[in-house]
Amino acid sequence: FFFFLKIEYVIIPETVTSIGKEAFADCSALEIADLPDGLTQIENGLFYNCKKLAGIMIPENVKSIGKNAFAGCSSIAEVSVPKSVSKIGERAFQGCSSMEAIMLWNPKTEIVHHKETFPEKTIIAGYMNSTAYKYAASYGRSFAVIDDDAITEIKNNLTAAISGGLYVETGVTVSEFRK
C-alpha cells in the first residue's frame, strides 16, 4: 500500500497475524486502521506519515512497536500501550503533534531512548519507577503516575481510564478527580 494516498480506512481480518514494515506508510488519507487481535508486532514504519490517522487501538497481543511505526501521524491524540508490549522502537511516535497522552501499562516496557520517541508535549503515564518514568525523567517530560483505581480527567478534558488513582508529577494539571 506504500504511497496509496486515497485509502481512508482499512479493516484487517482477524486471521492476519503479521503486516509488513511500512505497509501503510504515507497513506495520507488513512483515518482508521482496525488491527486484528492476533497481531503480535507493529513493524517499523507501519503507519509512517499517515497524517490523518486519528486513533489506533493497539491489540493486546502486540509485543513490540517498531522504529517510526507511527512517526508523522499528526492526528493521533492519545495512545494506550497494552501490558503485552515489551519494546517500543526509536522514534515510534515522533511527530505525533496532536498526541496529548500515552499510557504505558507494562512497567518494564523497553523504550529505545531517543528524545523524539514521544512528542515533547505528550504526557507520559505509567507506573512509578517504570521504564516510562525513567524515560520521562531523562528528557524532562511530563509524567503522570498510574496507581490502579480511578477515572481522571487530564488536561483539556482528555479522559484516561485508570483502574486506581493518579498522582501527578512534572507540571501535569489534573482538572478533576473522581472515584
Side-chain angles (χ1 to χ4, degrees):
F1 299 107
F2 195 72
F3 288 109
F4 188 67
L5 303 177
K6 295 185 181 194
I7 188 170
E8 293 179 5
Y9 65 91
V10 61
I11 299 172
I12 300 167
E14 291 300 319
T15 54
V16 174
T17 58
S18 68
I19 303 168
K21 67 181 181 177
E22 300 177 353
F24 300 103
D26 290 308
C27 289
S28 60
L30 184 64
E31 295 178 28
I32 299 167
D34 186 6
L35 301 176
D37 290 337
L39 192 66
T40 59
Q41 182 173 346
I42 295 177
E43 293 283 351
N44 293 347
L46 184 61
F47 294 104
Y48 177 80
N49 215 25
C50 292
K51 294 183 184 306
K52 290 188 177 180
L53 186 64
I56 194 78
M57 291 291 297
I58 299 172
E60 291 291 331
N61 291 318
V62 169
K63 294 184 180 5
S64 66
I65 298 172
K67 178 179 180 179
N68 294 318
F70 297 99
C73 294
S74 55
S75 296
I76 293 176
E78 62 183 66
V79 174
S80 181
V81 179
K83 277 188 173 182
S84 60
V85 175
S86 61
K87 183 177 182 181
I88 297 174
E90 181 180 336
R91 299 179 180 174
F93 296 95
Q94 175 187 9
C96 294
S97 56
S98 296
M99 186 182 293
E100 293 185 29
I102 185 162
M103 300 181 76
L104 293 113
W105 295 99
N106 179 346
K108 296 179 182 178
T109 296
E110 175 189 349
I111 301 168
V112 175
H113 274 261
H114 189 283
K115 69 179 181 176
E116 295 177 348
T117 297
F118 305 116
E120 192 171 335
K121 69 174 188 158
T122 300
I123 298 167
I124 300 168
Y127 293 97
M128 184 57 93
N129 297 317
S130 65
T131 54
Y133 175 83
K134 291 172 186 167
Y135 176 91
S138 293
Y139 296 105
R141 303 297 174 80
S142 294
F143 186 80
V145 180
I146 298 171
D147 179 25
D148 294 329
D149 81 4
I151 296 179
T152 305
E153 284 188 21
I154 304 174
K155 198 177 173 186
N156 298 328
N157 297 321
L158 173 64
T159 302
I162 303 174
S163 58
L166 186 79
Y167 299 96
V168 178
E169 257 187 47
T170 349
V172 177
T173 304
V174 177
S175 59
E176 185 177 329
F177 182 79
R178 297 182 289 221
K179 283 199 175 197

